[in-house]
Amino acid sequence: MYTLENNILKIGIKKIGAELCQISSINNRNEFMWDANPAIWANHAPNLFPIIGALKEDSYRFKNKKYTMTKHGFIRNNKDIALHEKTKDSLTFKLSHNEMTLESYPFKFEFYITYKLTNNSIEVIHTIKNVDTKTMYFSLVRTFPIFCSP
């Protein structure tokens, strides 16, 4: 797990899928994040790309070719997403297209997600770069800053 903290908050990011999985107060150690109890829902805050939700029969057609993609896309359980940059107040992770992604998603891309701490706020910044020559289609939920009381 990767961690980042300031004088108010500490956050933890899972290596797989770059998922935010811990938010805690530095002062009193209060946890603000769901515990991912597998009996109820085994995730914390998964990153969903390039689709949100499920496809009928886990497949779609693009330019007369059939592609298969599991529910919510391939970022949330991806072991290839890696730490790209670390600063004193942020962590940025990156996944670029590869042979595996191109089998289910025929677009060349760079996916970045940055977690930034500012006082009692966590900002989550998504940056998607189309490095292809064609229009790229995708879904992404824009996350707004999270504020926690110390």
Side-chain angles (χ1 to χ4, degrees), residues 44-79:
H44 299 278
N47 293 303
L48 311 180
F49 176 87
I51 64 168
I52 299 167
L55 299 167
K56 184 177 181 180
E57 298 176 3
D58 289 336
S59 66
Y60 67 98
R61 295 191 80 72
F62 180 75
K63 296 202 174 193
N64 295 319
K65 184 175 177 189
K66 184 177 179 179
Y67 295 90
T68 301
M69 187 177 304
T70 58
K71 184 177 182 180
H72 300 311
F74 47 73
I75 292 288
R76 71 182 177 146
N77 296 315
N78 200 300
K79 296 176 184 172

PDB file of all heavy atoms in Angstrom, residues 44-79:
ATOM      1  N   HIS A  44     -13.402  -0.550  -1.522  1.00  0.00           N
ATOM      2  CA  HIS A  44     -13.413   0.732  -0.808  1.00  0.00           C
ATOM      3  C   HIS A  44     -13.952   1.805  -1.750  1.00  0.00           C
ATOM      4  O   HIS A  44     -15.062   2.278  -1.578  1.00  0.00           O
ATOM      5  CB  HIS A  44     -12.005   1.113  -0.358  1.00  0.00           C
ATOM      6  CG  HIS A  44     -11.389   0.144   0.584  1.00  0.00           C
ATOM      7  ND1 HIS A  44     -11.649   0.151   1.935  1.00  0.00           N
ATOM      8  CD2 HIS A  44     -10.520  -0.871   0.384  1.00  0.00           C
ATOM      9  CE1 HIS A  44     -10.968  -0.809   2.521  1.00  0.00           C
ATOM     10  NE2 HIS A  44     -10.277  -1.452   1.598  1.00  0.00           N
ATOM     11  N   ALA A  45     -13.138   2.197  -2.718  1.00  0.00           N
ATOM     12  CA  ALA A  45     -13.497   3.233  -3.689  1.00  0.00           C
ATOM     13  C   ALA A  45     -12.819   2.895  -5.009  1.00  0.00           C
ATOM     14  O   ALA A  45     -11.844   3.518  -5.402  1.00  0.00           O
ATOM     15  CB  ALA A  45     -13.061   4.610  -3.189  1.00  0.00           C
ATOM     16  N   PRO A  46     -13.312   1.877  -5.717  1.00  0.00           N
ATOM     17  CA  PRO A  46     -12.631   1.427  -6.929  1.00  0.00           C
ATOM     18  C   PRO A  46     -12.663   2.462  -8.045  1.00  0.00           C
ATOM     19  O   PRO A  46     -13.608   3.243  -8.157  1.00  0.00           O
ATOM     20  CB  PRO A  46     -13.405   0.172  -7.325  1.00  0.00           C
ATOM     21  CG  PRO A  46     -14.752   0.338  -6.722  1.00  0.00           C
ATOM     22  CD  PRO A  46     -14.536   1.114  -5.455  1.00  0.00           C
ATOM     23  N   ASN A  47     -11.612   2.445  -8.840  1.00  0.00           N
ATOM     24  CA  ASN A  47     -11.528   3.308 -10.020  1.00  0.00           C
ATOM     25  C   ASN A  47     -12.115   2.561 -11.205  1.00  0.00           C
ATOM     26  O   ASN A  47     -11.706   1.437 -11.499  1.00  0.00           O
ATOM     27  CB  ASN A  47     -10.068   3.680 -10.280  1.00  0.00           C
ATOM     28  CG  ASN A  47      -9.534   4.549  -9.177  1.00  0.00           C
ATOM     29  OD1 ASN A  47     -10.078   5.604  -8.890  1.00  0.00           O
ATOM     30  ND2 ASN A  47      -8.485   4.088  -8.510  1.00  0.00           N
ATOM     31  N   LEU A  48     -13.081   3.176 -11.856  1.00  0.00           N
ATOM     32  CA  LEU A  48     -13.815   2.530 -12.937  1.00  0.00           C
ATOM     33  C   LEU A  48     -13.474   3.206 -14.262  1.00  0.00           C
ATOM     34  O   LEU A  48     -13.708   4.396 -14.445  1.00  0.00           O
ATOM     35  CB  LEU A  48     -15.319   2.613 -12.668  1.00  0.00           C
ATOM     36  CG  LEU A  48     -15.769   2.191 -11.265  1.00  0.00           C
ATOM     37  CD1 LEU A  48     -17.285   2.316 -11.147  1.00  0.00           C
ATOM     38  CD2 LEU A  48     -15.290   0.805 -10.915  1.00  0.00           C
ATOM     39  N   PHE A  49     -12.909   2.438 -15.182  1.00  0.00           N
ATOM     40  CA  PHE A  49     -12.527   2.926 -16.505  1.00  0.00           C
ATOM     41  C   PHE A  49     -12.250   1.719 -17.380  1.00  0.00           C
ATOM     42  O   PHE A  49     -11.663   0.762 -16.894  1.00  0.00           O
ATOM     43  CB  PHE A  49     -11.265   3.806 -16.404  1.00  0.00           C
ATOM     44  CG  PHE A  49     -10.741   4.272 -17.740  1.00  0.00           C
ATOM     45  CD1 PHE A  49     -11.236   5.425 -18.317  1.00  0.00           C
ATOM     46  CD2 PHE A  49      -9.764   3.556 -18.416  1.00  0.00           C
ATOM     47  CE1 PHE A  49     -10.771   5.848 -19.547  1.00  0.00           C
ATOM     48  CE2 PHE A  49      -9.289   3.973 -19.643  1.00  0.00           C
ATOM     49  CZ  PHE A  49      -9.791   5.122 -20.205  1.00  0.00           C
ATOM     50  N   PRO A  50     -12.621   1.701 -18.603  1.00  0.00           N
ATOM     51  CA  PRO A  50     -13.251   2.740 -19.414  1.00  0.00           C
ATOM     52  C   PRO A  50     -14.775   2.689 -19.425  1.00  0.00           C
ATOM     53  O   PRO A  50     -15.412   3.452 -20.145  1.00  0.00           O
ATOM     54  CB  PRO A  50     -12.700   2.468 -20.803  1.00  0.00           C
ATOM     55  CG  PRO A  50     -12.520   0.986 -20.842  1.00  0.00           C
ATOM     56  CD  PRO A  50     -12.120   0.604 -19.441  1.00  0.00           C
ATOM     57  N   ILE A  51     -15.357   1.780 -18.616  1.00  0.00           N
ATOM     58  CA  ILE A  51     -16.823   1.768 -18.508  1.00  0.00           C
ATOM     59  C   ILE A  51     -17.224   1.759 -17.047  1.00  0.00           C
ATOM     60  O   ILE A  51     -16.438   1.388 -16.175  1.00  0.00           O
ATOM     61  CB  ILE A  51     -17.467   0.554 -19.230  1.00  0.00           C
ATOM     62  CG1 ILE A  51     -17.043  -0.770 -18.573  1.00  0.00           C
ATOM     63  CG2 ILE A  51     -17.161   0.565 -20.714  1.00  0.00           C
ATOM     64  CD1 ILE A  51     -17.848  -1.974 -19.023  1.00  0.00           C
ATOM     65  N   ILE A  52     -18.440   2.187 -16.816  1.00  0.00           N
ATOM     66  CA  ILE A  52     -19.045   2.119 -15.490  1.00  0.00           C
ATOM     67  C   ILE A  52     -20.292   1.269 -15.656  1.00  0.00           C
ATOM     68  O   ILE A  52     -21.143   1.560 -16.495  1.00  0.00           O
ATOM     69  CB  ILE A  52     -19.417   3.522 -14.976  1.00  0.00           C
ATOM     70  CG1 ILE A  52     -18.155   4.368 -14.866  1.00  0.00           C
ATOM     71  CG2 ILE A  52     -20.146   3.440 -13.652  1.00  0.00           C
ATOM     72  CD1 ILE A  52     -18.421   5.836 -14.682  1.00  0.00           C
ATOM     73  N   GLY A  53     -20.369   0.196 -14.899  1.00  0.00           N
ATOM     74  CA  GLY A  53     -21.501  -0.708 -15.024  1.00  0.00           C
ATOM     75  C   GLY A  53     -21.117  -1.929 -15.846  1.00  0.00           C
ATOM     76  O   GLY A  53     -19.946  -2.202 -16.100  1.00  0.00           O
ATOM     77  N   ALA A  54     -22.135  -2.645 -16.261  1.00  0.00           N
ATOM     78  CA  ALA A  54     -21.922  -3.901 -16.985  1.00  0.00           C
ATOM     79  C   ALA A  54     -22.462  -3.796 -18.409  1.00  0.00           C
ATOM     80  O   ALA A  54     -23.407  -3.054 -18.675  1.00  0.00           O
ATOM     81  CB  ALA A  54     -22.613  -5.044 -16.255  1.00  0.00           C
ATOM     82  N   LEU A  55     -21.859  -4.553 -19.287  1.00  0.00           N
ATOM     83  CA  LEU A  55     -22.324  -4.669 -20.664  1.00  0.00           C
ATOM     84  C   LEU A  55     -23.162  -5.936 -20.797  1.00  0.00           C
ATOM     85  O   LEU A  55     -22.887  -6.937 -20.122  1.00  0.00           O
ATOM     86  CB  LEU A  55     -21.126  -4.765 -21.622  1.00  0.00           C
ATOM     87  CG  LEU A  55     -20.174  -3.582 -21.632  1.00  0.00           C
ATOM     88  CD1 LEU A  55     -18.890  -3.941 -22.377  1.00  0.00           C
ATOM     89  CD2 LEU A  55     -20.839  -2.379 -22.266  1.00  0.00           C
ATOM     90  N   LYS A  56     -24.137  -5.899 -21.653  1.00  0.00           N
ATOM     91  CA  LYS A  56     -24.930  -7.098 -21.912  1.00  0.00           C
ATOM     92  C   LYS A  56     -23.990  -8.183 -22.436  1.00  0.00           C
ATOM     93  O   LYS A  56     -23.232  -7.960 -23.387  1.00  0.00           O
ATOM     94  CB  LYS A  56     -26.022  -6.800 -22.929  1.00  0.00           C
ATOM     95  CG  LYS A  56     -26.944  -7.957 -23.186  1.00  0.00           C
ATOM     96  CD  LYS A  56     -28.045  -7.576 -24.150  1.00  0.00           C
ATOM     97  CE  LYS A  56     -28.976  -8.750 -24.361  1.00  0.00           C
ATOM     98  NZ  LYS A  56     -30.055  -8.394 -25.297  1.00  0.00           N
ATOM     99  N   GLU A  57     -23.987  -9.324 -21.768  1.00  0.00           N
ATOM    100  CA  GLU A  57     -23.118 -10.455 -22.107  1.00  0.00           C
ATOM    101  C   GLU A  57     -21.633 -10.071 -22.084  1.00  0.00           C
ATOM    102  O   GLU A  57     -20.821 -10.667 -22.786  1.00  0.00           O
ATOM    103  CB  GLU A  57     -23.508 -11.071 -23.450  1.00  0.00           C
ATOM    104  CG  GLU A  57     -24.926 -11.629 -23.448  1.00  0.00           C
ATOM    105  CD  GLU A  57     -25.368 -12.157 -24.793  1.00  0.00           C
ATOM    106  OE1 GLU A  57     -24.573 -12.158 -25.755  1.00  0.00           O
ATOM    107  OE2 GLU A  57     -26.542 -12.560 -24.888  1.00  0.00           O
ATOM    108  N   ASP A  58     -21.285  -9.048 -21.290  1.00  0.00           N
ATOM    109  CA  ASP A  58     -19.900  -8.580 -21.138  1.00  0.00           C
ATOM    110  C   ASP A  58     -19.218  -8.282 -22.473  1.00  0.00           C
ATOM    111  O   ASP A  58     -17.997  -8.458 -22.616  1.00  0.00           O
ATOM    112  CB  ASP A  58     -19.049  -9.589 -20.352  1.00  0.00           C
ATOM    113  CG  ASP A  58     -19.409  -9.639 -18.887  1.00  0.00           C
ATOM    114  OD1 ASP A  58     -19.962  -8.645 -18.374  1.00  0.00           O
ATOM    115  OD2 ASP A  58     -19.130 -10.670 -18.249  1.00  0.00           O
ATOM    116  N   SER A  59     -19.983  -7.797 -23.450  1.00  0.00           N
ATOM    117  CA  SER A  59     -19.362  -7.533 -24.746  1.00  0.00           C
ATOM    118  C   SER A  59     -20.008  -6.336 -25.435  1.00  0.00           C
ATOM    119  O   SER A  59     -21.111  -5.913 -25.094  1.00  0.00           O
ATOM    120  CB  SER A  59     -19.448  -8.767 -25.646  1.00  0.00           C
ATOM    121  OG  SER A  59     -20.784  -9.056 -25.975  1.00  0.00           O
ATOM    122  N   TYR A  60     -19.276  -5.797 -26.412  1.00  0.00           N
ATOM    123  CA  TYR A  60     -19.765  -4.699 -27.237  1.00  0.00           C
ATOM    124  C   TYR A  60     -19.110  -4.804 -28.609  1.00  0.00           C
ATOM    125  O   TYR A  60     -18.145  -5.544 -28.804  1.00  0.00           O
ATOM    126  CB  TYR A  60     -19.472  -3.336 -26.587  1.00  0.00           C
ATOM    127  CG  TYR A  60     -18.006  -2.971 -26.511  1.00  0.00           C
ATOM    128  CD1 TYR A  60     -17.433  -2.129 -27.454  1.00  0.00           C
ATOM    129  CD2 TYR A  60     -17.201  -3.481 -25.493  1.00  0.00           C
ATOM    130  CE1 TYR A  60     -16.084  -1.798 -27.377  1.00  0.00           C
ATOM    131  CE2 TYR A  60     -15.861  -3.155 -25.414  1.00  0.00           C
ATOM    132  CZ  TYR A  60     -15.308  -2.309 -26.357  1.00  0.00           C
ATOM    133  OH  TYR A  60     -13.974  -1.985 -26.298  1.00  0.00           O
ATOM    134  N   ARG A  61     -19.651  -4.046 -29.559  1.00  0.00           N
ATOM    135  CA  ARG A  61     -19.092  -4.033 -30.906  1.00  0.00           C
ATOM    136  C   ARG A  61     -18.581  -2.626 -31.210  1.00  0.00           C
ATOM    137  O   ARG A  61     -19.229  -1.640 -30.903  1.00  0.00           O
ATOM    138  CB  ARG A  61     -20.137  -4.441 -31.937  1.00  0.00           C
ATOM    139  CG  ARG A  61     -20.599  -5.887 -31.765  1.00  0.00           C
ATOM    140  CD  ARG A  61     -21.422  -6.386 -32.930  1.00  0.00           C
ATOM    141  NE  ARG A  61     -20.650  -6.792 -34.090  1.00  0.00           N
ATOM    142  CZ  ARG A  61     -19.891  -7.883 -34.180  1.00  0.00           C
ATOM    143  NH1 ARG A  61     -19.786  -8.684 -33.141  1.00  0.00           N
ATOM    144  NH2 ARG A  61     -19.260  -8.179 -35.278  1.00  0.00           N
ATOM    145  N   PHE A  62     -17.412  -2.593 -31.826  1.00  0.00           N
ATOM    146  CA  PHE A  62     -16.853  -1.331 -32.305  1.00  0.00           C
ATOM    147  C   PHE A  62     -16.253  -1.600 -33.676  1.00  0.00           C
ATOM    148  O   PHE A  62     -15.421  -2.497 -33.824  1.00  0.00           O
ATOM    149  CB  PHE A  62     -15.788  -0.799 -31.332  1.00  0.00           C
ATOM    150  CG  PHE A  62     -15.178   0.501 -31.769  1.00  0.00           C
ATOM    151  CD1 PHE A  62     -15.885   1.684 -31.658  1.00  0.00           C
ATOM    152  CD2 PHE A  62     -13.908   0.529 -32.313  1.00  0.00           C
ATOM    153  CE1 PHE A  62     -15.335   2.886 -32.075  1.00  0.00           C
ATOM    154  CE2 PHE A  62     -13.347   1.726 -32.734  1.00  0.00           C
ATOM    155  CZ  PHE A  62     -14.058   2.909 -32.613  1.00  0.00           C
ATOM    156  N   LYS A  63     -16.706  -0.837 -34.668  1.00  0.00           N
ATOM    157  CA  LYS A  63     -16.254  -1.007 -36.057  1.00  0.00           C
ATOM    158  C   LYS A  63     -16.334  -2.472 -36.489  1.00  0.00           C
ATOM    159  O   LYS A  63     -15.385  -3.042 -37.010  1.00  0.00           O
ATOM    160  CB  LYS A  63     -14.858  -0.441 -36.248  1.00  0.00           C
ATOM    161  CG  LYS A  63     -14.825   1.061 -36.013  1.00  0.00           C
ATOM    162  CD  LYS A  63     -13.657   1.706 -36.669  1.00  0.00           C
ATOM    163  CE  LYS A  63     -13.818   3.206 -36.478  1.00  0.00           C
ATOM    164  NZ  LYS A  63     -12.944   3.972 -37.281  1.00  0.00           N
ATOM    165  N   ASN A  64     -17.493  -3.064 -36.227  1.00  0.00           N
ATOM    166  CA  ASN A  64     -17.820  -4.432 -36.630  1.00  0.00           C
ATOM    167  C   ASN A  64     -16.951  -5.514 -36.002  1.00  0.00           C
ATOM    168  O   ASN A  64     -16.906  -6.637 -36.490  1.00  0.00           O
ATOM    169  CB  ASN A  64     -17.801  -4.575 -38.159  1.00  0.00           C
ATOM    170  CG  ASN A  64     -18.887  -3.750 -38.805  1.00  0.00           C
ATOM    171  OD1 ASN A  64     -20.007  -3.696 -38.304  1.00  0.00           O
ATOM    172  ND2 ASN A  64     -18.549  -3.089 -39.899  1.00  0.00           N
ATOM    173  N   LYS A  65     -16.267  -5.198 -34.924  1.00  0.00           N
ATOM    174  CA  LYS A  65     -15.493  -6.203 -34.205  1.00  0.00           C
ATOM    175  C   LYS A  65     -16.066  -6.312 -32.796  1.00  0.00           C
ATOM    176  O   LYS A  65     -16.382  -5.306 -32.167  1.00  0.00           O
ATOM    177  CB  LYS A  65     -14.017  -5.830 -34.146  1.00  0.00           C
ATOM    178  CG  LYS A  65     -13.179  -6.906 -33.493  1.00  0.00           C
ATOM    179  CD  LYS A  65     -11.694  -6.598 -33.545  1.00  0.00           C
ATOM    180  CE  LYS A  65     -10.948  -7.694 -32.805  1.00  0.00           C
ATOM    181  NZ  LYS A  65      -9.551  -7.383 -32.617  1.00  0.00           N
ATOM    182  N   LYS A  66     -16.156  -7.535 -32.293  1.00  0.00           N
ATOM    183  CA  LYS A  66     -16.686  -7.779 -30.959  1.00  0.00           C
ATOM    184  C   LYS A  66     -15.545  -7.745 -29.945  1.00  0.00           C
ATOM    185  O   LYS A  66     -14.494  -8.354 -30.145  1.00  0.00           O
ATOM    186  CB  LYS A  66     -17.384  -9.136 -30.894  1.00  0.00           C
ATOM    187  CG  LYS A  66     -18.047  -9.431 -29.570  1.00  0.00           C
ATOM    188  CD  LYS A  66     -18.775 -10.769 -29.607  1.00  0.00           C
ATOM    189  CE  LYS A  66     -19.419 -11.079 -28.278  1.00  0.00           C
ATOM    190  NZ  LYS A  66     -20.137 -12.355 -28.308  1.00  0.00           N
ATOM    191  N   TYR A  67     -15.783  -7.015 -28.838  1.00  0.00           N
ATOM    192  CA  TYR A  67     -14.831  -6.915 -27.738  1.00  0.00           C
ATOM    193  C   TYR A  67     -15.519  -7.377 -26.460  1.00  0.00           C
ATOM    194  O   TYR A  67     -16.716  -7.171 -26.284  1.00  0.00           O
ATOM    195  CB  TYR A  67     -14.339  -5.477 -27.556  1.00  0.00           C
ATOM    196  CG  TYR A  67     -13.535  -4.980 -28.724  1.00  0.00           C
ATOM    197  CD1 TYR A  67     -14.153  -4.332 -29.790  1.00  0.00           C
ATOM    198  CD2 TYR A  67     -12.167  -5.172 -28.769  1.00  0.00           C
ATOM    199  CE1 TYR A  67     -13.422  -3.886 -30.873  1.00  0.00           C
ATOM    200  CE2 TYR A  67     -11.417  -4.726 -29.852  1.00  0.00           C
ATOM    201  CZ  TYR A  67     -12.054  -4.086 -30.899  1.00  0.00           C
ATOM    202  OH  TYR A  67     -11.315  -3.646 -31.969  1.00  0.00           O
ATOM    203  N   THR A  68     -14.748  -7.980 -25.574  1.00  0.00           N
ATOM    204  CA  THR A  68     -15.260  -8.440 -24.292  1.00  0.00           C
ATOM    205  C   THR A  68     -14.637  -7.602 -23.185  1.00  0.00           C
ATOM    206  O   THR A  68     -13.430  -7.355 -23.193  1.00  0.00           O
ATOM    207  CB  THR A  68     -14.897  -9.921 -24.073  1.00  0.00           C
ATOM    208  OG1 THR A  68     -15.459 -10.677 -25.141  1.00  0.00           O
ATOM    209  CG2 THR A  68     -15.441 -10.433 -22.761  1.00  0.00           C
ATOM    210  N   MET A  69     -15.499  -7.150 -22.265  1.00  0.00           N
ATOM    211  CA  MET A  69     -15.013  -6.373 -21.125  1.00  0.00           C
ATOM    212  C   MET A  69     -15.870  -6.680 -19.910  1.00  0.00           C
ATOM    213  O   MET A  69     -17.090  -6.691 -19.990  1.00  0.00           O
ATOM    214  CB  MET A  69     -15.049  -4.873 -21.425  1.00  0.00           C
ATOM    215  CG  MET A  69     -14.382  -4.061 -20.331  1.00  0.00           C
ATOM    216  SD  MET A  69     -14.329  -2.285 -20.668  1.00  0.00           S
ATOM    217  CE  MET A  69     -13.501  -2.230 -22.227  1.00  0.00           C
ATOM    218  N   THR A  70     -15.207  -6.909 -18.790  1.00  0.00           N
ATOM    219  CA  THR A  70     -15.936  -7.211 -17.562  1.00  0.00           C
ATOM    220  C   THR A  70     -16.543  -5.940 -16.975  1.00  0.00           C
ATOM    221  O   THR A  70     -16.189  -4.818 -17.351  1.00  0.00           O
ATOM    222  CB  THR A  70     -15.014  -7.868 -16.521  1.00  0.00           C
ATOM    223  OG1 THR A  70     -13.934  -6.977 -16.256  1.00  0.00           O
ATOM    224  CG2 THR A  70     -14.497  -9.199 -17.008  1.00  0.00           C
ATOM    225  N   LYS A  71     -17.427  -6.151 -16.019  1.00  0.00           N
ATOM    226  CA  LYS A  71     -18.124  -5.062 -15.338  1.00  0.00           C
ATOM    227  C   LYS A  71     -17.133  -4.015 -14.825  1.00  0.00           C
ATOM    228  O   LYS A  71     -16.121  -4.357 -14.216  1.00  0.00           O
ATOM    229  CB  LYS A  71     -18.913  -5.664 -14.167  1.00  0.00           C
ATOM    230  CG  LYS A  71     -19.766  -4.698 -13.412  1.00  0.00           C
ATOM    231  CD  LYS A  71     -20.532  -5.466 -12.332  1.00  0.00           C
ATOM    232  CE  LYS A  71     -21.444  -4.581 -11.549  1.00  0.00           C
ATOM    233  NZ  LYS A  71     -22.153  -5.342 -10.519  1.00  0.00           N
ATOM    234  N   HIS A  72     -17.401  -2.767 -15.079  1.00  0.00           N
ATOM    235  CA  HIS A  72     -16.636  -1.601 -14.628  1.00  0.00           C
ATOM    236  C   HIS A  72     -15.252  -1.462 -15.270  1.00  0.00           C
ATOM    237  O   HIS A  72     -14.427  -0.677 -14.809  1.00  0.00           O
ATOM    238  CB  HIS A  72     -16.491  -1.567 -13.110  1.00  0.00           C
ATOM    239  CG  HIS A  72     -17.785  -1.514 -12.363  1.00  0.00           C
ATOM    240  ND1 HIS A  72     -18.794  -0.620 -12.670  1.00  0.00           N
ATOM    241  CD2 HIS A  72     -18.240  -2.243 -11.317  1.00  0.00           C
ATOM    242  CE1 HIS A  72     -19.805  -0.802 -11.852  1.00  0.00           C
ATOM    243  NE2 HIS A  72     -19.505  -1.782 -11.023  1.00  0.00           N
ATOM    244  N   GLY A  73     -14.956  -2.223 -16.302  1.00  0.00           N
ATOM    245  CA  GLY A  73     -13.692  -2.044 -17.010  1.00  0.00           C
ATOM    246  C   GLY A  73     -12.514  -2.733 -16.355  1.00  0.00           C
ATOM    247  O   GLY A  73     -12.673  -3.628 -15.529  1.00  0.00           O
ATOM    248  N   PHE A  74     -11.309  -2.293 -16.719  1.00  0.00           N
ATOM    249  CA  PHE A  74     -10.105  -3.026 -16.327  1.00  0.00           C
ATOM    250  C   PHE A  74      -9.168  -2.287 -15.383  1.00  0.00           C
ATOM    251  O   PHE A  74      -8.108  -2.793 -15.037  1.00  0.00           O
ATOM    252  CB  PHE A  74      -9.311  -3.456 -17.572  1.00  0.00           C
ATOM    253  CG  PHE A  74      -9.105  -2.375 -18.587  1.00  0.00           C
ATOM    254  CD1 PHE A  74      -8.225  -1.332 -18.361  1.00  0.00           C
ATOM    255  CD2 PHE A  74      -9.798  -2.409 -19.778  1.00  0.00           C
ATOM    256  CE1 PHE A  74      -8.045  -0.339 -19.302  1.00  0.00           C
ATOM    257  CE2 PHE A  74      -9.620  -1.419 -20.739  1.00  0.00           C
ATOM    258  CZ  PHE A  74      -8.727  -0.386 -20.492  1.00  0.00           C
ATOM    259  N   ILE A  75      -9.516  -1.115 -14.912  1.00  0.00           N
ATOM    260  CA  ILE A  75      -8.615  -0.395 -13.997  1.00  0.00           C
ATOM    261  C   ILE A  75      -8.711  -0.951 -12.575  1.00  0.00           C
ATOM    262  O   ILE A  75      -7.705  -1.177 -11.916  1.00  0.00           O
ATOM    263  CB  ILE A  75      -8.918   1.117 -13.987  1.00  0.00           C
ATOM    264  CG1 ILE A  75      -8.549   1.751 -15.330  1.00  0.00           C
ATOM    265  CG2 ILE A  75      -8.192   1.827 -12.846  1.00  0.00           C
ATOM    266  CD1 ILE A  75      -7.075   1.873 -15.609  1.00  0.00           C
ATOM    267  N   ARG A  76      -9.906  -1.183 -12.076  1.00  0.00           N
ATOM    268  CA  ARG A  76     -10.097  -1.467 -10.652  1.00  0.00           C
ATOM    269  C   ARG A  76      -9.332  -2.671 -10.130  1.00  0.00           C
ATOM    270  O   ARG A  76      -8.972  -2.713  -8.965  1.00  0.00           O
ATOM    271  CB  ARG A  76     -11.571  -1.576 -10.294  1.00  0.00           C
ATOM    272  CG  ARG A  76     -12.241  -2.806 -10.834  1.00  0.00           C
ATOM    273  CD  ARG A  76     -13.708  -2.799 -10.480  1.00  0.00           C
ATOM    274  NE  ARG A  76     -14.352  -3.956 -11.059  1.00  0.00           N
ATOM    275  CZ  ARG A  76     -15.342  -4.589 -10.497  1.00  0.00           C
ATOM    276  NH1 ARG A  76     -15.827  -4.175  -9.346  1.00  0.00           N
ATOM    277  NH2 ARG A  76     -15.879  -5.619 -11.083  1.00  0.00           N
ATOM    278  N   ASN A  77      -9.067  -3.661 -10.960  1.00  0.00           N
ATOM    279  CA  ASN A  77      -8.319  -4.845 -10.510  1.00  0.00           C
ATOM    280  C   ASN A  77      -6.978  -4.972 -11.227  1.00  0.00           C
ATOM    281  O   ASN A  77      -6.393  -6.048 -11.268  1.00  0.00           O
ATOM    282  CB  ASN A  77      -9.143  -6.111 -10.727  1.00  0.00           C
ATOM    283  CG  ASN A  77     -10.398  -6.117  -9.893  1.00  0.00           C
ATOM    284  OD1 ASN A  77     -10.363  -5.789  -8.708  1.00  0.00           O
ATOM    285  ND2 ASN A  77     -11.518  -6.468 -10.487  1.00  0.00           N
ATOM    286  N   ASN A  78      -6.489  -3.877 -11.770  1.00  0.00           N
ATOM    287  CA  ASN A  78      -5.305  -3.926 -12.620  1.00  0.00           C
ATOM    288  C   ASN A  78      -4.011  -3.875 -11.808  1.00  0.00           C
ATOM    289  O   ASN A  78      -3.799  -2.965 -11.011  1.00  0.00           O
ATOM    290  CB  ASN A  78      -5.349  -2.768 -13.618  1.00  0.00           C
ATOM    291  CG  ASN A  78      -4.461  -3.016 -14.792  1.00  0.00           C
ATOM    292  OD1 ASN A  78      -3.266  -3.176 -14.632  1.00  0.00           O
ATOM    293  ND2 ASN A  78      -5.049  -3.039 -15.969  1.00  0.00           N
ATOM    294  N   LYS A  79      -3.152  -4.850 -12.032  1.00  0.00           N
ATOM    295  CA  LYS A  79      -1.857  -4.922 -11.342  1.00  0.00           C
ATOM    296  C   LYS A  79      -0.790  -4.101 -12.053  1.00  0.00           C
ATOM    297  O   LYS A  79       0.288  -3.878 -11.504  1.00  0.00           O
ATOM    298  CB  LYS A  79      -1.405  -6.372 -11.227  1.00  0.00           C
ATOM    299  CG  LYS A  79      -2.307  -7.216 -10.370  1.00  0.00           C
ATOM    300  CD  LYS A  79      -1.892  -8.660 -10.366  1.00  0.00           C
ATOM    301  CE  LYS A  79      -2.900  -9.468  -9.558  1.00  0.00           C
ATOM    302  NZ  LYS A  79      -2.671 -10.895  -9.660  1.00  0.00           N
TER     303      LYS A  79
END
